[in-house]
Amino acid sequence: MDLQLKGKSALVVASSQGLGKAIAEQLVREGANVMLTSRHADKLRAVQEELAPLGTGTVSYHPCDITKAGEIQQLVETTVQQFGTIDILINNSGGPKPGTFEQLADEDWYNAFELNVLSCIRLIRAALPALRMQGGRIVNVASSSVKEPIPGLLLSNTFRVALTGLTKTLAAELASSGILINTAAPGRISTDRVAFLDAAAAEKQGISAAEVQAAYESIIPLGRYGEPQEFAKVVLFLASAMNTYMTGSTFLVDGGMVKSL
Ligand SMILES: NC(=O)c1ccc[n+]([C@@H]2O[C@H](COP(=O)([O-])OP(=O)(O)OC[C@H]3O[C@@H](n4cnc5c(N)ncnc54)[C@H](OP(=O)(O)O)[C@@H]3O)[C@@H](O)[C@H]2O)c1
């Protein structure tokens, strides 16, 4: 299937590593122009050098801390200046701090709201004029926690759900502009974030990280963690012109881990 992404312009947020980088790579391979962004210029430069030879489009980067409103505005303006428009916005982010209720202070709640919800709102607001030009696609990266809370990840369990409410509401508000918006929800995909969470759980339980992973794999019907490219392929379809009739929905990429219907 030709996803018709050649020549499209995509802003991929939090793309210096992990899921964001995998999504950027797939977009580059399909011939899209891709703006990479995260807080660290050195990491972004290395990703740009790695990905640029893989495609025919332009691969650029612009550092941005997505908890800062002014930096988001600059990121979007730079992307539009370089590519002329934004056809695709991938709203990815860093993960919130782990913790149970009594371990989290007001500051942690504010920080997670800024990182995982407000950033998304600000990015969509800033990119809307460009997305409206040809009827764009927005994919928000959340977590399987939107379907089944994850023990010890209270901030994710709370704020990722907010993102699905935002997505469902915007699907209706933006439909007349030809903009389709969806949520992609990863389960356990092998990235630095999941390695960090497994190491933290291992320390707490007094077992090894490999044992934590084995326990998760025992409840995943496909019996393993996913690869970032497996997640990215789903996001790519949602972000493409081939997606003509899915908006406001949440798509789990979890090897069958979540048991809810
Ligand atoms: N991997 C999974 O299976 C899984 C499951 C559920 C949910 N998720 C969620 O999906 C998202 C991506 O996951 P991942 O596994 O790829 O995580 P990751 O490997 O930790 O990567 C996080 C990315 O976010 C960027 N970032 C962090 N804070 C930022 C900020 N303030 N401004 C701009 N960029 C920022 C980081 O780049 P810099 O450090 O360069 O800024 C990095 O590129 C996370 O929110 C994670 O919680 C992942």
Side-chain angles (χ1 to χ4, degrees):
M1 183 191 293
D2 178 6
L3 292 175
Q4 297 175 20
L5 288 163
K6 195 169 166 51
K8 297 282 185 189
S9 297
L11 170 54
V12 185
V13 180
S15 45
S16 63
Q17 63 183 58
L19 302 182
K21 181 186 170 193
I23 295 163
E25 179 181 332
Q26 293 292 336
L27 284 164
V28 170
R29 287 184 185 280
E30 292 291 327
N33 303 313
V34 175
M35 178 62 76
L36 306 163
T37 186
S38 79
R39 293 164 300 182
H40 298 105
D42 50 341
K43 285 164 70 179
L44 292 169
R45 194 177 310 115
V47 175
Q48 182 203 33
E49 284 169 7
E50 181 186 334
L51 299 191
L54 304 178
T56 51
T58 303
V59 182
S60 292
Y61 68 88
H62 182 88
C64 169
D65 182 338
I66 54 169
T67 63
K68 309 268 192 308
E71 293 191 21
I72 286 179
Q73 199 59 41
Q74 278 180 359
L75 168 67
V76 169
E77 282 172 16
T78 302
T79 308
V80 173
Q81 272 167 16
Q82 287 205 16
F83 298 153
T85 191
I86 298 174
D87 301 299
I88 297 163
L89 171 63
I90 308 293
N91 267 324
N92 186 36
S93 63
K97 181 180 174 179
T100 56
F101 186 74
E102 293 188 337
Q103 293 167 337
L104 298 169
D106 277 2
E107 193 189 357
D108 299 317
W109 287 91
Y110 281 121
N111 288 344
F113 170 70
E114 283 187 335
L115 180 63
N116 298 119
V117 183
L118 192 55
S119 65
C120 205
I121 292 166
R122 286 169 167 163
L123 278 153
I124 293 171
R125 190 191 288 132
L128 261 186
L131 288 163
R132 279 201 167 105
M133 286 166 71
Q134 301 191 61
R137 300 285 180 272
I138 303 170
V139 182
N140 298 322
V141 176
S143 164
S144 62
S145 65
V146 302
K147 295 289 184 190
E148 184 178 337
I150 302 169
L153 277 184
L154 180 54
L155 294 173
S156 173
N157 298 341
T158 304
F159 289 121
R160 303 299 196 182
V161 178
L163 214 50
T164 62
L166 175 76
T167 304
K168 185 58 105 177
T169 310
L170 286 185
E173 291 191 14
L174 302 180
S176 61
S177 300
I179 298 172
L180 278 59
I181 175 169
N182 288 287
T183 302
R188 304 296 287 187
I189 312 291
S190 292
T191 64
D192 289 357
R193 163 83 176 165
V194 164
F196 160 77
L197 292 174
D198 283 0
E203 195 179 333
K204 200 171 159 198
Q205 295 170 43
I207 58 176
S208 69
E211 287 171 302
V212 172
Q213 179 167 341
Y216 268 111
E217 287 174 343
S218 72
I219 59 163
I220 298 173
L222 292 184
R224 61 177 176 83
Y225 283 7
E227 292 301 322
Q229 298 300 338
E230 293 178 292
F231 179 75
K233 281 188 260 178
V234 175
V235 172
L236 237 65
F237 181 80
L238 294 174
S240 77
M242 289 295 98
N243 170 21
T244 53
Y245 204 57
M246 295 190 296
T247 192
S249 293
T250 299
F251 297 87
L252 282 167
V253 185
D254 70 342
M257 181 176 75
V258 170
K259 301 300 183 293
S260 68
L261 295 172

